[in-house]
Amino acid sequence: MRAATKEKISQQVLDWRHEGLIDPELADLLVSRFETGPRLLSTALRWLGVFALLLFGSSILGLIATVLGTASLKLAPLLLAAIAIVAWRFGVRMATDPEQKYPTTGAGLICVFGAFSIAFIAYGGANFEPVYPAFMLITAAAAVATAYRYGLRWPLTLGLLLVFHALGNWHGYAGHGTYWLGIRDERVTAAASLLALGLGLWHEYRWEGETEGRWLGFGHLYVIFGLLYLNVCAWFLSLFPGGLSWVLVFTALGIAQLVAGARLRDPRFVGFGIVFLSIDLYTRFFERFWNSLSKAEFFLLAGLIAVVAGALMEVKSRGERLDGDA
């Protein structure tokens, strides 16, 4: 959050306190969350202390592993499991701090997956493919349980990522500014995405309003992950196996999101619809003209189309603003 925004919120809280709208204890709590002065430095020092503690603990574990020699491989999963329990407990205490000085936790949950993986190697495992999805699902279950138990969104984000990766999705950095994303079965992932999307909408409209805000924002995460993976699956299917049918499905999906977003007044559907409909149009443009035009002509034509589309949208937007002012 920008410093100017924090200062504005803090001033508003102080005004509420002076007007008697909130009690001093609540005012102090709210102001402490948005302070930008010396407390910011103290928070940074706390984080440095946490990282120093983690690095110190890692060095001790490395020393223990060196001393133990060949037996260390058998004990490593147990050590990592102990770290996972301690880190999880410590992380939950920080994330549930009333002043929200430490807004995220997840190191312990990540260590859970590491402990399972090292244990599999230490005790003679060789074929990772059938067991890694199970490890991911177990860790995802722990993350989701933590999220709902303590009302934390970050563990839910981790849990959703692990669930989709357990289905056979991969992503990573290939170097030189290149990222890659792979999906083993787009149809299965698309079905899971629709399930997540439906769960998110139900969460928002039926549940979050009845739980006094304890799980506020959980539905938003389900919706975002559902829309993201659903659109990516449709895009990949329009490429492989491709064909007119999948192109029409991808295009119809983008248009449907625009219509749904406009009717529901939901910017998430509108945003994903615009982005992936644009990707669809560019992909089709690339398929048709990349080999038939020179590279200069291709990018010149693509740029002109983008400029014209942007100008039309700007004219339309200004017209609507003028009508609203009138």
Side-chain angles (χ1 to χ4, degrees), residues 65-83:
T66 302
V67 173
L68 291 176
T70 56
S72 63
L73 190 60
K74 300 290 185 180
L75 294 177
L78 300 178
L79 292 174
L80 192 55
I83 294 175

Side-chain angles (χ1 to χ4, degrees), residues 281-282 285-286 289-290 293-310:
L281 294 175
Y282 176 78
F285 182 78
F286 181 89
F289 298 107
W290 180 255
L293 297 175
S294 69
K295 303 304 179 280
E297 292 172 338
F298 176 88
F299 286 111
L300 177 62
L301 183 57
L304 289 174
I305 292 174
V307 169
V308 172

Side-chain angles (χ1 to χ4, degrees), residues 72-111:
S72 63
L73 190 60
K74 300 290 185 180
L75 294 177
L78 300 178
L79 292 174
L80 192 55
I83 294 175
I85 296 173
V86 174
W88 175 84
R89 185 58 186 166
F90 188 53
V92 166
R93 288 180 60 185
M94 291 195 301
T96 54
D97 184 273
E99 296 184 5
Q100 293 187 352
K101 299 174 183 177
Y102 309 99
T104 60
T105 181
L109 295 168
I110 296 173
C111 287

Side-chain angles (χ1 to χ4, degrees), residues 9 37 60 63 80 88-89 105 117 122 154 161 164 193 202 209 216 219 262 264 287 302 319:
I9 294 175
I60 293 176
L63 178 62
L80 192 55
W88 175 84
R89 185 58 186 166
T105 181
S117 301
W154 198 93
L161 277 174
F164 279 105
S193 303
W202 174 80
L216 187 65
L264 298 174
E287 289 177 339

